[in-house]
């Protein structure tokens, strides 16, 4: 059974940086996508960045140039390095994994993912 556990959230001032981690266990998929999603209060969950184990990462326009998604394949840990944080980046950040295609992975659609972590809170103050 796949389990995901996020960590690294916190409170920072605008312009600051945070690195989120997602430890995955029980992964036996050959080809799969992992991603970061976020949900602000009163808003729908949105895709932030995804990475397929056979392809390049994909980013939402709102975070391009500021966020970097990466994966330590040996340790099965997914990272999200967040720089130049803005108040609008505030929200609960979720890690997700799904054995799916590169096309679905690049779509950043949360509906493509069926396995989620519990989330970690990120608060950016102005």
């Amino acid at each position: 059974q796949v389990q995901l556990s996020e960590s690294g959230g916190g409170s920072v001032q605008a312009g600051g940086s945070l690195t989120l981690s997602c430890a995955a266990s029980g992964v036996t998929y050959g080809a799969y996508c992992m991603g970061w999603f976020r949900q602000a209060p009163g808003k729908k969950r949105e895709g932030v960045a995804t990475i397929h184990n056979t392809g390049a990462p994909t980013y939402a326009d709102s975070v391009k140039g500021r966020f970097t998604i990466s994966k330590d394949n040996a340790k099965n840990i997914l990272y999200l390095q967040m720089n130049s944080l803005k108040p609008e980046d505030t929200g609960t950040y979720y890690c997700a994994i799904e054995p799916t295609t590169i096309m679905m992975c690049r779509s950043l659609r949360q509906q493509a993912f069926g396995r989620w972590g519990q989330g970690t809170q990120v608060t950016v103050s102005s």
Side-chain angles (χ1 to χ4, degrees):
Q1 183 178 355
V2 175
Q3 290 189 325
L4 303 173
S5 180
E6 303 97 332
S7 60
S11 297
V12 296
Q13 290 192 325
S17 298
L18 281 175
T19 299
L20 305 182
S21 300
C22 172
S25 61
V27 178
T28 59
Y29 313 131
Y32 59 92
C33 180
M34 292 190 76
W36 289 99
F37 295 76
R38 66 186 180 190
Q39 187 168 18
K43 294 190 176 181
K44 295 182 180 178
R45 190 176 301 186
E46 62 176 357
V48 175
T50 58
I51 185 167
H52 199 275
N53 66 329
T54 64
T58 300
Y59 297 95
D61 289 342
S62 59
V63 306
K64 280 181 182 176
R66 300 188 299 121
F67 290 11
T68 302
I69 188 171
S70 62
K71 188 171 175 288
D72 184 328
N73 291 318
K75 297 181 180 179
N76 249 355
I77 299 177
L78 183 73
Y79 299 99
L80 185 68
Q81 173 67 44
M82 304 185 294
N83 298 325
S84 303
L85 282 162
K86 304 175 181 180
E88 51 263 44
D89 294 318
T90 293
T92 302
Y93 282 69
Y94 298 90
C95 172
I97 187 171
E98 189 68 22
T100 189
T101 63
I102 292 178
M103 181 178 294
M104 287 302 295
C105 190
R106 289 175 177 170
S107 72
L108 293 174
R109 296 178 63 227
Q110 63 161 329
Q111 293 88 346
F113 291 81
R115 294 153 182 83
W116 297 83
Q118 81 286 353
T120 185
Q121 178 67 34
V122 171
T123 303
V124 185
S125 58
S126 57

